Amino acid sequence: MPLAAVLGALAIGSTAANGALGYDVLKTNSVTYHVVTADLASRKLSPRTVASERLTSVWNLISKSEASAAITGTFFAPKAQRPVADVLIDGLLVSKGSLGTAVGVTWNGDVEIFDRPTGQPVDWGNYRYGLRGTVRLIRGGVVCPDPKSQSFKDSRLWSRAARTGLGVTSRGKLVMIATKSNVTLSEMGAAMLQRGVREAVSLDGGSSTCLYFNGSLVVAPGRQLCNLFVVALGNPLEWNGPGNRL
């Protein structure tokens, strides 16, 4: 759907969950970034991961997870149609791989971003949902991407590309951001700093770039996907929705 049509159907500044979940646009250096912000401290929202056993329509993933917002998940191997790193769903690892920065959702619904050395497995005991295989973008409020030091080998990671990012602020807000413009990792990190993000990662991008909010694909992917990071309505301490594995 053309950008003008999306913005016409979805007003900039749109909110859901009584204002706890919102969408807007950030324009900087001639680049348009689509941004979804989730106030996790409200306890009205439940962040989680969703995955399928093979590539599928993004709408299948969104429907299965009852998502109100969603963004592209971790990288996957196209031939195997499987994620290349850990994906944790409801305390169960449905995919394994010890590469990159991890994003974990605690049993209380808080999102934490943390690093482990390549090859060292994550102890997911404190987390209900999570994924790994992401590129560190921001640490302690400083933009610091260095995919080579994280053992990533695909040169497209440090070139210009359409990108997605996920981060957290010091006030407990989750920020999901995507752009179809070709930007560097550092440019994406700088944009996220403008939204108060203190810790952040870059997720899968390129033709996988996807952002969904409240019924609309704000940024539609150019191919099928096998995992997403999503936000659903409901208190994470009370939520007992559908399984998130297709």
Side-chain angles (χ1 to χ4, degrees), residues 163-199:
R163 298 194 182 276
T164 61
L166 182 148
V168 292
T169 73
S170 59
R171 296 190 175 185
K173 290 187 177 181
L174 173 72
V175 176
M176 300 187 292
I177 184 170
T179 181
K180 278 292 191 179
S181 298
N182 291 326
V183 298
T184 65
L185 289 169
S186 293
E187 288 170 344
M188 172 67 90
M192 297 184 78
L193 282 183
Q194 293 188 40
R195 291 308 170 93
V197 171
R198 298 285 299 172
E199 307 290 335

Side-chain angles (χ1 to χ4, degrees), residues 98-102 113-119 132-139 144-153 157-158 185 200-202:
S98 301
L99 175 73
T101 302
I113 296 174
F114 55 96
D115 299 293
R116 293 291 183 273
T118 301
R132 197 175 174 183
T134 69
V135 179
R136 172 67 81 159
L137 270 187
I138 301 173
R139 181 185 294 109
C144 60
D146 189 2
K148 291 182 180 180
S149 73
Q150 292 188 279
S151 301
F152 288 98
K153 301 185 184 303
L157 285 175
W158 45 88
L185 289 169
V201 295
S202 176

Side-chain angles (χ1 to χ4, degrees), residues 4-124:
V6 171
L7 297 183
L10 185 64
I12 297 175
S14 295
T15 62
N18 294 322
L21 185 66
Y23 161 79
D24 68 329
V25 169
L26 169 65
K27 293 186 178 181
T28 180
N29 296 324
S30 301
V31 175
T32 297
Y33 295 91
H34 300 270
V35 186
V36 171
T37 303
D39 184 3
L40 302 183
S42 70
R43 296 306 179 198
K44 298 176 182 177
L45 304 170
S46 297
R48 57 178 61 92
T49 50
V50 59
S52 60
E53 294 185 354
R54 60 188 61 83
L55 293 175
T56 187
S57 164
V58 67
W59 287 111
N60 289 337
L61 294 166
I62 290 168
S63 175
K64 180 65 175 179
S65 61
E66 297 185 351
S68 289
I71 195 167
T72 310
T74 192
F75 299 93
F76 64 89
K79 289 185 178 180
Q81 300 188 37
R82 300 285 298 162
V84 300
D86 289 359
V87 176
L88 181 76
I89 296 177
D90 215 7
L92 176 68
L93 270 178
V94 300
S95 179
K96 295 182 180 180
S98 301
L99 175 73
T101 302
V103 179
V105 181
T106 70
W107 293 87
N108 291 327
D110 297 317
V111 173
E112 298 178 356
I113 296 174
F114 55 96
D115 299 293
R116 293 291 183 273
T118 301
Q120 179 178 314
V122 170
D123 179 358
W124 291 105

